[in-house]
């Protein structure tokens, strides 16, 4: 199940099941999005990206879905494995004013895989 | 042959001290960044440098001073450390910086604890 509150949202999934991690982004003008995975004690690692002219992109065991109408992004992980346990971040490329684009991160969701 | 490396991994120090964190990337990227991650895992950009030139400087106390001797290095110096500076600091790099579809590559982080 998923819990949201003052703490980092956590999603607990049985090994072998599919996981869906959701993210709401802020800027309707954002045109590029990335999902990152951060394992304990490590830096965020690129998983998959999607441009705003697409609504779905697939990688190896991962799929990203983009719904621009409601500004929603999701990451689907097929056949979740213990090694998928990590904190997952969505990030959007925002251009504040006339400046350069900068990657802005969402709050993160902790995925715990139950063996 | 780590792509983005930062040192030290852990830094424990007293309030009021001055400390530095070093970062180097061997990816040939033009842009480097510093991000701060708080206890709730929220990642926030602090600075970015493109080819030794400051591009982004978010609202960060001027006790924090980034220094880029060349485009492969971006060090972070912090004066008069405060308790609230305790966090994990991540260095990152990207190919060009400021573009619409920039992927960031992160170091493994420096956990700073101010006592």
């Amino acid at each position: 199940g998923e819990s949201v509150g003052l703490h980092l949202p956590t999603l607990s999934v049985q090994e072998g099941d599919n996981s869906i991690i959701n993210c709401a982004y802020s800027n309707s003008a954002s045109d590029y999005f990335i999902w990152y995975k951060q394992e304990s004690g490590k830096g965020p690692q690129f998983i998959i990206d999607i441009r705003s002219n697409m609504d779905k992109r697939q990688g190896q065991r991962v799929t990203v879905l983009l719904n621009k109408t409601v500004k929603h992004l999701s990451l689907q992980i097929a056949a979740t494995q213990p090694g998928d346990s990590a904190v997952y971040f969505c990030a959007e490329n925002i251009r504040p004013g006339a400046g350069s684009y900068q990657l802005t991160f969402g709050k993160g969701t902790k995925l715990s895989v139950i063996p | 042959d780590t792509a983005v490396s930062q040192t030290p991994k852990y830094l424990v120090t007293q309030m009021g001290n001055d400390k530095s964190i070093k970062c180097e990337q061997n990816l040939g990227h033009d842009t480097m960044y510093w991000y701060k991650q708080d206890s709730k895992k929220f990642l926030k950009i602090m600075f970015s440098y493109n080819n030794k030139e400051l591009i982004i400087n978010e609202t960060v106390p001027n006790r924090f001073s980034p220094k880029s001797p060349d485009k492969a290095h971006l060090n972070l110096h912090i004066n008069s450390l405060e308790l609230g500076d305790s966090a994990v600091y991540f260095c990152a790099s990207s190919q060009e910086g400021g573009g619409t579809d920039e992927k960031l590559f992160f170091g493994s982080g420096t956990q700073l604890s101010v006592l």
Side-chain angles (χ1 to χ4, degrees), chain B:
Chain B
D1 59 344
T2 305
V4 181
S5 58
Q6 52 183 112
T7 55
K9 174 78 173 168
Y10 301 96
L11 186 53
V12 181
T13 188
Q14 299 284 336
M15 244 179 11
N17 285 349
D18 303 338
K19 289 293 178 186
S20 292
I21 308 172
K22 295 185 176 182
C23 181
E24 175 182 3
Q25 55 95 5
N26 63 6
L27 296 166
H29 287 170
D30 286 340
T31 302
M32 296 184 72
Y33 309 79
W34 278 107
Y35 276 79
K36 179 180 180 179
Q37 186 172 50
D38 63 20
S39 58
K40 293 183 176 60
K41 300 291 187 183
F42 186 63
L43 269 164
K44 184 169 169 53
I45 191 168
M46 299 173 69
F47 303 101
S48 86
Y49 268 71
N50 179 275
N51 209 2
K52 302 193 297 174
E53 186 179 328
L54 181 65
I55 300 298
I56 295 172
N57 182 355
E58 290 297 297
T59 308
V60 175
N62 57 15
R63 297 182 295 104
F64 290 78
S65 52
K67 285 184 172 50
S68 182
D70 55 61
K71 75 173 193 177
H73 295 83
L74 181 63
N75 304 323
L76 183 65
H77 188 76
I78 315 170
N79 288 329
S80 304
L81 278 154
E82 300 178 357
L83 294 176
D85 297 332
S86 296
V88 182
Y89 292 84
F90 286 99
C91 177
S93 73
S94 66
Q95 184 75 45
E96 293 176 9
T100 60
D101 55 353
E102 290 287 333
K103 296 179 187 58
L104 266 60
F105 295 81
F106 284 84
S108 57
T110 295
Q111 185 167 332
L112 172 64
S113 299
V114 183
L115 306 177

Side-chain angles (χ1 to χ4, degrees), chain A:
Chain A
E2 184 175 328
S3 63
V4 176
L6 294 176
H7 304 288
L8 191 66
T10 300
L11 178 65
S12 297
V13 173
Q14 204 73 37
E15 182 179 355
D17 286 352
N18 296 335
S19 303
I20 300 176
I21 300 170
N22 297 303
C23 175
Y25 63 91
S26 61
N27 192 330
S28 56
S30 296
D31 60 6
Y32 181 62
F33 305 87
I34 304 178
W35 279 100
Y36 279 89
K37 172 186 180 183
Q38 185 180 14
E39 296 175 271
S40 181
K42 297 184 179 179
Q45 183 181 19
F46 172 89
I47 302 174
I48 192 168
D49 58 357
I50 189 167
R51 292 194 62 89
S52 60
N53 60 356
M54 304 170 71
D55 52 23
K56 180 178 179 179
R57 189 159 190 227
Q58 285 185 290
Q60 191 177 16
R61 279 203 308 119
V62 294
T63 301
V64 55
L65 299 177
L66 175 63
N67 185 331
K68 294 182 286 293
T69 304
V70 295
K71 294 189 286 185
H72 184 268
L73 205 61
S74 68
L75 178 71
Q76 300 178 1
I77 305 173
T80 312
Q81 302 168 0
D84 295 327
S85 293
V87 177
Y88 290 81
F89 295 93
C90 66
E92 60 180 310
N93 219 9
I94 293 176
R95 190 178 190 184
S100 300
Y101 282 91
Q102 54 180 277
L103 204 61
T104 299
F105 285 78
K107 287 190 174 62
T109 297
K110 182 177 179 180
L111 176 65
S112 295
V113 181
I114 305 163

